[in-house]
Amino acid sequence: MSPGHDVAEHPARILIVDDDRHNRQLLELMLAPEGFSLQTAASGEEALALVAQEAPDLILLDILMPGMDGYQVAGTIKGNPVTKNIPVIMVTALDDRDARMLGLRAGAEDFISQPVDRAELCVRVKNLLRLKAYSDDHDRYSQLLETEVLSRTADLRLERDRAQRYLDTAQVILLKLDREGRIQLLNRYGCTLLGWEADELLGRDWVETCLPARARDAFGQRFHDLVGGDLSIVENPVLTKAGEERLIEWRNTLLRDDAGYVIGTFSSGTDITERHQAVEALRAAEERMRFALESANVGIWDMDYTTGTLRWSETMEAHYGVKPGKFAGTFDAFIERVHPDDRESVHGAVGKAVIGGADFTRENRSVWPDGTVRWLTGAGRIYLGEHGKPVRGVGISLDVTERRTLEKQYQQAQKMEAVGRLAGGV
């Protein structure tokens, strides 16, 4: 099975959702050579209508859109049992932790930042399609296994053998527990990951054998909820025979007898240890960078030219006398905070950079609501899209009022010294 095709070897259907026509066309051009079946929507409402008609295999979703934004669209899709397993990649120019956290809470599986790199986009899309194919296979086989257990037909042993061959070749952990949490089945991949032989684990308590001590109480409550019908996707650490911890993401289903009584659980687990470590490393790096910039009193700005949205850090807001979180978020709102005598030069520096997609530096004064004037110096960089239009701008700002005051005092002192020398000479 290729990553770009579903189980029936038909091209994977990908829905591209973005209110900007150029962005949609760019993503289509990037993905078309991979053989996917592509469909586009210009709004969140249109995307939901298309999903209701025929669910795609994956959705590329812009965050900032008029009407329904990407968070609302993702939340609606993930809140629907019929569509909740469709992978969602959010394509965004917002490169901060808060935006990504909102996306994760809405249910997005991945993010990719603009400007989009084609190679990165294709790899992320193929990886999520591959995981979805495994998940779909698991759902089909778990249903098949449950049906076989209930039917008690003469072909049960043969079908179990076929299922076991599938379980042994799947690159996910497939685990069956009874109501007491004892291991009834674990596929070859799971045994290899945990470092056990299958016959060593069968019949043993899963919690006591394969979970670290600190996670056992929480899992006990989670298993109780699972048997009660809570099939939410969960994460928890597991302990290998050698004492190494791995972080696993679980998808679960219930197994029932002929009377409908729950007799156990069947779970599919994906090892996300490396992904989690990468996310934690990125978060730590972002925290270090944030601390360094805040300690140096450096403000940060980020302009999305496709939507006209300008984002400021709290330090940037402080430079312009704005209360935290109260900046209006537009270029015009920024200009209003610039000293009237400096607005023309700021317009000129930014405008020239926007035309050529260049870096720029500027020095200007800000005017606070109480009339305070501060001197600021900064630098920025403008990124152009495929058609030479600006798509994003980023930059920094530093308050140099004290430095300029000291420089002015020094220059005045030099003048006074020169006058003194002249008077002494006379």
Side-chain angles (χ1 to χ4, degrees), residues 26 32 58 111 123 192 239 405 410 414:
L26 177 60
L58 184 141
F111 290 82
V123 169
T192 301
L239 194 64
T405 300
Y410 178 69
Q414 285 184 317

Side-chain angles (χ1 to χ4, degrees), residues 208-406:
E208 296 297 326
T209 306
C210 298
L211 266 66
R214 72 177 190 283
R216 292 172 184 172
D217 290 342
F219 181 85
Q221 180 60 48
R222 172 65 197 132
F223 188 72
H224 178 270
D225 295 340
L226 172 59
V227 173
D230 184 357
L231 303 181
S232 303
I233 298 174
V234 296
E235 299 175 4
N236 67 262
V238 297
L239 194 64
T240 69
K241 189 176 183 180
E244 178 189 3
E245 285 193 14
R246 308 293 295 180
L247 185 62
I248 307 299
E249 181 183 81
W250 297 99
R251 297 173 183 266
N252 308 290
T253 189
L254 297 178
L255 301 177
R256 303 177 184 271
D257 61 14
D258 293 337
Y261 181 73
V262 175
I263 59 174
T265 63
F266 191 79
S267 304
S268 167
T270 303
D271 187 349
I272 60 171
T273 306
E274 282 72 25
R275 186 179 78 189
H276 178 74
Q277 291 171 345
V279 169
E280 286 300 306
L282 177 60
R283 183 193 61 79
E286 290 176 346
E287 289 297 326
R288 288 194 296 270
M289 180 63 71
R290 189 187 304 275
F291 174 76
L293 292 173
E294 290 178 352
S295 299
N297 196 30
V298 175
I300 306 172
W301 58 267
D302 191 323
M303 179 73 180
D304 182 353
Y305 282 97
T306 62
T307 63
T309 302
L310 177 60
R311 297 171 62 88
W312 277 3
S313 66
E314 289 189 5
T315 303
M316 190 79 179
E317 290 177 321
H319 287 174
Y320 284 86
V322 180
K323 293 181 179 179
K326 298 300 182 181
F327 177 58
T330 65
F331 186 78
D332 289 340
F334 155 63
I335 289 297
E336 289 178 2
R337 295 289 181 175
V338 175
H339 193 285
D341 294 342
D342 297 339
R343 291 174 183 175
E344 183 177 353
S345 63
V346 171
H347 267 297
V350 176
K352 183 177 180 181
V354 166
I355 294 174
D359 296 351
F360 66 91
T361 59
R362 55 144 183 86
E363 187 169 271
N364 64 270
R365 288 162 290 179
S366 67
V367 182
W368 292 10
D370 63 1
T372 300
V373 176
R374 306 291 293 182
W375 278 94
L376 307 172
T377 184
R381 173 171 293 176
I382 305 299
Y383 296 94
L384 301 183
E386 181 182 6
H387 302 288
K389 300 288 187 179
V391 294
R392 185 185 180 198
V394 295
I396 61 173
S397 175
L398 183 65
D399 189 327
V400 294
T401 305
E402 284 73 19
R403 189 190 73 188
R404 288 184 64 91
T405 300
L406 290 174

Side-chain angles (χ1 to χ4, degrees), residues 409-424:
Q409 291 174 349
Y410 178 69
Q411 292 171 357
Q412 185 64 29
Q414 285 184 317
K415 290 180 181 179
M416 295 300 296
E417 182 181 358
V419 171
R421 288 178 180 175
L422 178 60

Side-chain angles (χ1 to χ4, degrees), residues 195-212:
W196 294 85
E197 295 295 333
D199 55 3
E200 293 180 299
L201 287 175
L202 293 181
R204 298 184 66 167
D205 185 281
W206 168 254
V207 173
E208 296 297 326
T209 306
C210 298
L211 266 66

